């Protein structure tokens, strides 16, 4: 898994690629929570278009990010989910909790 | 297949299983579900049976099983995972999806086991001779023939 961060005004875009599993999901969790809790970014957008696979530990990291955003009244959004990532979030029954968009342009709209 | 309890092996197993599932004629979706189940099972071994120790032993066996069913033959993919870690307390690993609680109360524990049970046709766990044995079964779609594993 690779993570890159872009800053755009009061928005952080986190570009994630590769597989998210037990070996690296703590790193993803740390990055997301840092943006919300330490930097107090009001909107964090996760670009998952390069993610091929996610497991339950990755879902747990996303859930932690979602909870942090709710606690701080921030927004946690994502886009670019492929069929496998969508399938895992559907299985988790979490799909409706997240703000999910087709692409970056839609996710960045005010 | 002999593995070490290092999370880095997960992607190697996924890759091997992906090729096998494809050869066996599973759809992309079913292929993904089987891979997810096995990945979660290995994750549970690493996290719970070995409590994060990275150099412990895991044995993974894949084979095809033929069984007669309603006058026709049914083929299943059997996956057996063996480890010699701590006995697993199944009560602590209660499978569940996450939607039953408000978001603030959600805890992801048990989600991996839920994926395993949801995605496989049969899941059996037993403790024997000081080892944990998890047996997973996926019924394969009918085909002219299946290549041996």
């Amino acid at each position: 898994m690779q993570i890159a961060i872009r800053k755009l005004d009061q928005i952080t875009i986190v570009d994630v690629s590769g597989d998210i599993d037990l070996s690296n999901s703590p790193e993803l969790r740390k990055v997301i929570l840092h943006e919300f809790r330490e930097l107090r970014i009001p909107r964090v957008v996760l670009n998952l278009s390069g993610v091929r696979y996610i497991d339950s530990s990755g879902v747990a990291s996303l859930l932690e990010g979602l909870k942090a955003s709710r606690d701080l009244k921030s927004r946690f959004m994502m886009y670019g989910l492929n069929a496998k990532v969508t399938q895992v979030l559907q299985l988790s029954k979490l799909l409706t909790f997240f703000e999910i968009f087709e692409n970056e342009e839609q996710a960045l709209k005010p | 297949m002999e593995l070490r309890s290092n999370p880095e092996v997960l992607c190697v197993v996924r890759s091997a299983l992906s090729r096998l599932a494809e050869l066996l004629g599973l759809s992309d979706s079913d292929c993904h579900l089987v891979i997810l189940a096995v990945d979660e099972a290995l994750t549970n071994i690493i996290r719970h049976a070995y409590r994060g120790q990275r150099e412990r032993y895991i044995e993974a066996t894949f084979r095809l099983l033929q069984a007669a069913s309603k006058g026709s033959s049914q083929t299943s993919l059997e996956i057996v995972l063996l480890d010699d870690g701590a006995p697993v307390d199944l009560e602590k690993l209660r499978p569940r999806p996450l939607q039953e609680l408000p978001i603030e109360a959600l805890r992801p524990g048990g989600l991996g086991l839920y994926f395993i049970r949801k995605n496989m046709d049969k899941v059996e766990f037993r403790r024997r001779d000081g080892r944990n044995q998890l047996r997973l079964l996926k019924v394969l779609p009918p085909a002219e023939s299946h290549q041996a594993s």
Side-chain angles (χ1 to χ4, degrees), chain A residues 10-49:
Chain A
Q10 288 296 298
I11 302 173
T12 293
I13 302 166
V14 183
D15 298 309
V16 190
S17 58
D19 292 5
I20 305 172
D21 65 14
L22 181 66
S23 69
N24 51 39
S25 55
E27 184 188 347
L28 177 62
R29 175 183 176 277
K30 189 176 165 187
V31 167
I32 296 169
L33 294 183
H34 180 72
E35 295 298 316
F36 282 126
R37 291 183 179 160
E38 314 300 329
L39 304 181
R40 301 283 168 155
I41 301 295
R43 193 191 319 193
V44 175
V45 179
L46 215 53
N47 170 13
L48 296 177
S49 55

Side-chain angles (χ1 to χ4, degrees), chain A:
Chain A
M1 180 190 70
Q2 290 82 43
I3 294 177
I5 290 182
R6 290 180 281 147
K7 300 283 185 181
L8 194 68
D9 296 329
Q10 288 296 298
I11 302 173
T12 293
I13 302 166
V14 183
D15 298 309
V16 190
S17 58
D19 292 5
I20 305 172
D21 65 14
L22 181 66
S23 69
N24 51 39
S25 55
E27 184 188 347
L28 177 62
R29 175 183 176 277
K30 189 176 165 187
V31 167
I32 296 169
L33 294 183
H34 180 72
E35 295 298 316
F36 282 126
R37 291 183 179 160
E38 314 300 329
L39 304 181
R40 301 283 168 155
I41 301 295
R43 193 191 319 193
V44 175
V45 179
L46 215 53
N47 170 13
L48 296 177
S49 55
V51 172
R52 299 170 301 190
Y53 177 87
I54 188 168
D55 73 354
S56 67
S57 72
V59 173
S61 295
L62 299 183
L63 182 60
E64 288 286 317
L66 181 64
K67 286 181 171 182
S69 71
R70 297 276 179 103
D71 288 346
L72 297 165
K73 304 207 181 324
S74 304
R75 293 180 74 185
F76 185 40
M77 312 157 88
M78 50 185 83
Y79 72 89
L81 285 68
N82 72 12
K84 290 178 183 173
V85 174
T86 303
Q87 190 176 34
V88 170
L89 289 179
Q90 270 171 341
L91 278 173
S92 313
K93 312 284 187 191
L94 276 178
L95 208 50
T96 55
F97 285 108
F98 290 104
E99 289 191 74
I100 296 172
F101 297 86
E102 284 289 317
N103 53 46
E104 185 169 308
E105 186 185 359
Q106 289 177 11
L108 295 185
K109 278 183 182 171

Side-chain angles (χ1 to χ4, degrees), chain B residues 2 6 8 13 21 28 31-32 37 44-45 49 61 68 70-71 90 99 101 104 108 122 124 129-130 134 137 143 146:
Chain B
E2 283 193 21
N6 186 329
E8 301 292 339
V13 175
D28 282 351
C31 182
H32 173 233
N44 277 347
I45 291 171
T61 308
K70 295 173 186 170
L90 291 178
Q99 93 289 11
L101 297 168
E104 295 75 16
K122 198 171 211 176
E124 294 172 342
D129 301 329
L134 182 67
L137 218 61
H146 292 285

